[in-house]
Amino acid sequence: MSKPDPAASSRAARPAPQATPACASADAGEALALQTLLGAQQQACAVHWCEQIGSTNAELLARVRGAEPLKKHAGPPQVFLPPSGGLTRNDRFGDANPQLLVAGHQTAGRGRQGRPWVDGAHTSLLASLAWPFAPGTPIAGLSVAVGVWLAQCLRGLGAAEVRLKWPNDVLLQERKLAGVLVELADTQLARWAVIGIGLNLRSPPDLPDAIGLDACHLHQSAPSSPPADSPQGGQENLGAARCFLVSRWDVLRRLMPAMLAGLPIYAQAGFAPWTDAWNQLHAWTGEPVVVLDHGALRQTGQALGVDDSGHLLLQTADGVRRVASGDVSLRRAAVQAGHRPMP
């Protein structure tokens, strides 16, 4: 979870998988199952699982740029799951094909503006999708569109209170549930968008402005054994895991088909097809807000929603202004009066 402020192997051969905890083995199987599911839906995407990594976004950026594999990560051994049948065209980052990397824990996760993204091991969904657009494709508003797909996915799972905060946050009960980070890498073959998603499956105990999906009480009954991504150690954690049915893979099985279907449409039409959906999910419609640029006050006004480019529409004393996301942050105006800030 971002705090305090919300917001490779490329052509080299991969090391052979090493022995991993049972949790990682189960997750590797889930990754293969997801890849198979997507392929059956004509949405080819290589799915990789890694027990621990520095940053899923950084790893994919290095891979699509054709860089050498990142240095060996500290901690438990990592597992990269190649597509069935070994190394194929869809698994080589020199070719323009989508790739999904899912991690159990990040040691150097980050959010917008270089802020750290802190996660509890195996209590979060941490994933990045590398998607190849045609060279030079404009991607303004992409993170705003991803927010729509993520929010709709979570509502479909039963989190009916999920709302969106511009430009890239998902809120639940007025606290931060998830965030999106989009970064670009231009190569001769493609303009790669690396789309990082961090979602709290369980509420971080040390971050009062954050919340997890466990707050929705989505479980229906206690399973006989904890899910693959349950927290490790301690009877208290084990008991909590047994009453929590929504795993990272439950989310990804619903989210990935929506993203893989939406991205080609976005490439042709931009953000416009999702404008109405975003505005219906807007958490702060009509509220007084401030726009901060690296901490400095830039504008004040009333949040109206977004336009067809994903810009924020702000009602000011001088009329309606359009605000591009860039490196700006949005806060409720009450923050300036000394109230506790929103994430």
Side-chain angles (χ1 to χ4, degrees), residues 298-317:
R298 175 170 154 183
Q299 282 184 304
T300 63
Q302 184 182 55
L304 302 179
V306 296
D307 64 11
D308 285 348
S309 298
H311 291 81
L312 176 69
L313 296 177
L314 196 66
Q315 180 67 59
T316 72

Side-chain angles (χ1 to χ4, degrees), residues 42-62:
Q42 305 301 309
Q43 295 177 315
C45 179
V47 181
H48 309 268
W49 162 255
C50 184
E51 174 71 14
Q52 179 171 294
I53 200 168
S55 161
T56 56
N57 260 37
E59 175 77 1
L60 289 191
L61 285 168

Side-chain angles (χ1 to χ4, degrees), residues 11 34 61 111 230 241 306:
R11 297 178 176 85
L34 176 59
L61 285 168
S230 62
V306 296

Side-chain angles (χ1 to χ4, degrees), residues 29 35 50 68 83 107 139 201 214 244 255 261 289 311 321 335:
Q35 179 177 282
C50 184
E68 291 299 313
T107 58
I139 58 101
L201 297 173
D214 56 340
F244 187 79
L255 175 62
V289 297
H311 291 81
R321 294 288 183 265
V335 172

Side-chain angles (χ1 to χ4, degrees), residues 158-162 172-173 177 211-219 244:
E161 298 178 45
V162 162
L172 176 67
Q173 299 175 12
L177 174 66
I211 196 169
L213 274 183
D214 56 340
C216 296
H217 306 292
L218 301 183
H219 59 278
F244 187 79

